[in-house]
Amino acid sequence: MSDALQVAIEPTRDEHLAAAVQSVGARIVGLGEARILVWIGPPSEFPDLPDHVEWVALKTAGIEDFVTAGVIDNRRIWTNASGFYAENVAEHALALLLAGLRQINSAVLRHWDKQPIDTAVRSLHSSTVAIIGAGGIAASLIPRLTASGARVIAVNRSGRPVDGAAVTLPSARTDEVWGQTDHVVLAAPATAETHHLINAKSLATLPAHAWVVNVARGPLVDQNALVAALRDGQIAGAALDVTDPEPPADDDPLWSLPNVIITPHVANPASGLTRVMAPFLAENLRRFAAGEILLSVVEPGRDY
Amino acid sequence: MSDALQVAIEPTRDEHLAAAVQSVGARIVGLGEARILVWIGPPSEFPDLPDHVEWVALKTAGIEDFVTAGVIDNRRIWTNASGFYAENVAEHALALLLAGLRQINSAVLRHWDKQPIDTAVRSLHSSTVAIIGAGGIAASLIPRLTASGARVIAVNRSGRPVDGAAVTLPSARTDEVWGQTDHVVLAAPATAETHHLINAKSLATLPAHAWVVNVARGPLVDQNALVAALRDGQIAGAALDVTDPEPPADDDPLWSLPNVIITPHVANPASGLTRVMAPFLAENLRRFAAGEILLSVVEPGRDY
């Protein structure tokens, strides 16, 4: 790139993104000279944009807060990080599901309590796992699950068959899933349609050995119904990276149930975002320079 | 099978194995009439065998105790369950590795302690995992690891390339592994050669972010050296399904280290053995009736 692209990384410098910019021969400049802004701060600190900024790259997958803050305009290209972190979230979902099935939580809490743990261990292989919201995370999760010997039921909006899934259902038929699956992974955006998707009725239909994994958003689960189902043994357990509210209150019964695993919203660790984003930024800079379509362009009117 | 095979299941009846016998049209009889004995008891209770018993099927993968007790003769075929439980053990190894990398243990113990957990989470994808003892467990584990985006270094006796591994090394070159891998999974039998394979020297060579997973046997690890390395932060953590001794003493420092996950030797749950064994028994009965070579025939002189 002889005519170096001018890129601002704001509001703080970041070594991973700086290396990505330099790796494609672009040049790091201040906002006053930039054609491209890589914004890694919060919406509240977002600057007034000079007209010469043609593309703003945001580091998060969900950009609800930027939409709400009104910073996204239609005078340039905006990209988010949708899909960049799918491998990470898929890996965490697999870790949570296996931790539940293999009783890692009981082992951590109870020490060599062999008999009850031995009889409670379940296998992922030969089981069926339903993924609700079969997008980028599911695309990364399905090969992991099938390599682990599980069969996958995917649920997406259209019902268009998902690669690697044994069955794909449209979201309008989600209620058919509960009686056909061993376990559930929630990976859908939080919308009116997905609100309390896991509720008293779905929990009552799931098998007693089911684990429910949530790496999406807390409101997909009716948490009171979940607590009741976990207490009554309607399902085997829940492994949650997200809750509602987040974190749960100190006296939330979730904390004291033995069949719950809670990780503090770290499926995609905030501390590692820019490291994971860096190669995608480099690819998008290459595409920008070549006049190609960028990855993860924000579609106006879609806020997730 | 019109001329039904006569099979004894001793010393107790087992529903899974009985169903397997019946599924191939064989008949369950007492030992006095049996051509085949399926023995699911301990070596100490092993009966005197009538000459008409042509094949004894044992339910464990390791049969050291039967060899030591002198019950294995050369007057008939003996099979063990070598390889039958590989999927289970591989799944547990993956669960332990992911639980460590994704900080499930810290989350279980500390609750929503977001900042330290967020920064401690590591990814299996884009990492290198060495499997020491690349036999049946590795054959099941490698596809799970590669589907999770990891690169595998396999170590076996011969150094003959292992399917799916990026690199295979002979066990004589094991010491080269520690500096080339991110994480280690131990899946080798306990022998003089593998005794204290993980020791002060290998621990000092592994990277500081390394997790060591043991689903093999406790004596492969010099536990005092491991405790010292975990205390000093020489490695990130250890996830152990086996220990030395087993279980660790109540005052063993392993129990109190935050970067240790211990499961009580449940990679292959004892309570589920016959359920997992059942389809293999059915297949072997079919082979026996057809005069084919059986799965997992015990080779005289090999005691693992």
Side-chain angles (χ1 to χ4, degrees):
Chain A
M1 233 176 278
S2 55
D3 186 16
L5 283 178
Q6 290 153 309
V7 181
I9 303 173
E10 300 287 350
T12 52
R13 197 173 164 85
D14 177 87
E15 53 168 336
H16 302 294
L17 299 181
V21 168
Q22 284 150 1
S23 75
V24 296
R27 195 156 61 85
I28 298 172
V29 298
L31 183 57
E33 296 176 78
R35 290 179 64 194
I36 299 159
L37 169 63
V38 181
W39 180 255
I40 56 178
S44 58
E45 296 175 21
F46 199 83
D48 285 333
L49 289 181
D51 283 345
H52 51 74
V53 172
E54 300 167 45
W55 162 32
V56 179
L58 301 172
K59 73 168 179 178
T60 52
I63 55 163
E64 309 92 303
D65 296 345
F66 287 90
V67 173
T68 306
V71 304
I72 296 183
D73 61 29
N74 57 9
R75 298 172 59 193
R76 61 209 100 220
I77 300 168
W78 296 75
T79 56
N80 62 13
S82 178
F84 298 0
Y85 309 118
E87 292 280 309
N88 242 350
V89 179
E91 183 176 307
H92 203 76
L94 180 64
L96 287 172
L97 182 55
L98 282 171
L101 294 177
R102 310 302 302 200
Q103 293 291 300
I104 306 284
N105 58 324
S106 300
V108 169
L109 290 174
R110 291 174 198 168
H111 296 159
W112 205 275
D113 198 5
K114 186 171 167 83
Q115 179 58 21
I117 292 175
D118 187 285
T119 51
V121 167
R122 292 291 174 271
S123 292
L124 179 56
H125 65 90
S126 308
S127 74
T128 297
V129 178
I131 306 176
I132 311 298
I137 294 165
S140 291
L141 182 55
I142 290 171
R144 287 165 162 83
L145 291 172
T146 55
S148 297
R151 177 177 165 271
V152 173
I153 300 176
V155 175
N156 59 15
R157 279 174 188 245
S158 64
R160 192 167 49 216
V162 171
D163 278 356
V167 176
T168 305
L169 291 175
S171 51
R173 294 175 59 190
T174 303
D175 279 347
E176 295 176 27
V177 168
W178 319 124
Q180 294 180 38
T181 193
D182 295 302
H183 310 293
V184 177
V185 175
L186 301 175
T191 65
E193 284 171 12
T194 62
H195 187 79
H196 286 194
L197 191 74
I198 297 292
N199 53 39
K201 195 175 156 200
S202 46
L203 289 161
T205 313
L206 282 165
H209 60 260
W211 274 81
V212 171
V213 173
N214 193 357
V215 288
R217 289 288 183 264
L220 271 68
V221 176
D222 177 345
Q223 218 158 270
N224 291 332
L226 178 67
V227 166
L230 290 166
R231 274 195 179 134
D232 297 349
Q234 272 193 329
I235 63 169
L240 312 171
D241 189 53
V242 290
T243 58
D244 181 20
E246 200 164 288
D250 285 347
D251 63 350
D252 193 304
L254 278 181
W255 290 126
S256 55
L257 287 167
N259 48 354
V260 173
I261 298 171
I262 298 175
T263 54
H265 205 144
V266 293
N268 182 30
S271 55
L273 285 186
T274 59
R275 183 175 46 73
V276 179
M277 181 188 177
F280 293 97
L281 176 63
E283 169 63 14
N284 258 353
L285 288 168
R286 188 197 66 70
R287 290 179 178 222
F288 186 85
E292 298 173 14
I293 293 173
L294 303 188
L295 299 170
S296 298
V297 172
V298 173
E299 294 173 35
R302 273 188 77 172
D303 62 353
Y304 60 86
Chain B
M1 234 176 277
S2 55
D3 185 15
L5 283 178
Q6 292 153 310
V7 181
I9 302 173
E10 300 288 351
T12 51
R13 197 173 163 86
D14 177 88
E15 54 169 334
H16 302 293
L17 299 181
V21 168
Q22 284 152 359
S23 75
V24 297
R27 194 155 62 86
I28 297 171
V29 298
L31 183 58
E33 297 175 78
R35 289 179 65 195
I36 298 159
L37 169 62
V38 181
W39 179 256
I40 56 177
S44 58
E45 295 174 22
F46 199 83
D48 286 332
L49 288 181
D51 282 344
H52 51 73
V53 172
E54 300 168 44
W55 161 32
V56 180
L58 301 172
K59 73 167 178 178
T60 52
I63 55 163
E64 310 92 302
D65 295 346
F66 287 90
V67 174
T68 306
V71 303
I72 296 183
D73 61 29
N74 56 9
R75 298 171 59 192
R76 61 209 99 223
I77 300 168
W78 296 75
T79 55
N80 62 13
S82 179
F84 298 1
Y85 309 117
E87 293 280 308
N88 242 350
V89 179
E91 183 175 308
H92 203 75
L94 180 64
L96 287 171
L97 182 55
L98 282 172
L101 294 177
R102 310 302 302 199
Q103 294 291 300
I104 307 285
N105 58 325
S106 301
V108 168
L109 291 174
R110 292 176 199 167
H111 296 158
W112 206 275
D113 199 4
K114 187 172 168 81
Q115 179 58 21
I117 291 175
D118 187 284
T119 51
V121 166
R122 293 289 173 273
S123 292
L124 179 56
H125 65 89
S126 308
S127 74
T128 297
V129 178
I131 306 175
I132 312 298
I137 294 165
S140 291
L141 182 55
I142 290 171
R144 288 165 162 82
L145 290 173
T146 55
S148 297
R151 177 178 165 270
V152 173
I153 299 176
V155 175
N156 59 15
R157 279 175 187 244
S158 64
R160 192 168 49 217
V162 171
D163 278 356
V167 176
T168 306
L169 290 176
S171 51
R173 293 174 59 190
T174 304
D175 280 347
E176 295 176 28
V177 169
W178 319 125
Q180 294 180 38
T181 193
D182 293 303
H183 311 293
V184 177
V185 175
L186 301 175
T191 65
E193 284 171 11
T194 62
H195 187 78
H196 286 194
L197 190 75
I198 296 293
N199 53 40
K201 197 176 154 199
S202 48
L203 290 161
T205 314
L206 282 165
H209 60 260
W211 274 81
V212 172
V213 173
N214 193 357
V215 289
R217 288 289 182 265
L220 272 68
V221 175
D222 176 346
Q223 219 158 270
N224 292 331
L226 178 67
V227 166
L230 290 166
R231 274 194 179 134
D232 297 349
Q234 272 193 327
I235 63 169
L240 312 171
D241 189 53
V242 291
T243 57
D244 181 20
E246 201 164 285
D250 284 347
D251 62 351
D252 193 306
L254 277 181
W255 290 126
S256 54
L257 288 167
N259 48 353
V260 173
I261 298 171
I262 298 175
T263 54
H265 205 144
V266 293
N268 181 30
S271 54
L273 284 185
T274 59
R275 182 177 44 75
V276 178
M277 181 188 178
F280 293 97
L281 177 63
E283 168 63 13
N284 257 353
L285 288 167
R286 188 197 64 71
R287 290 179 178 222
F288 187 85
E292 298 173 14
I293 293 173
L294 303 188
L295 299 170
S296 299
V297 172
V298 173
E299 295 173 34
R302 272 188 76 171
D303 62 352
Y304 61 86

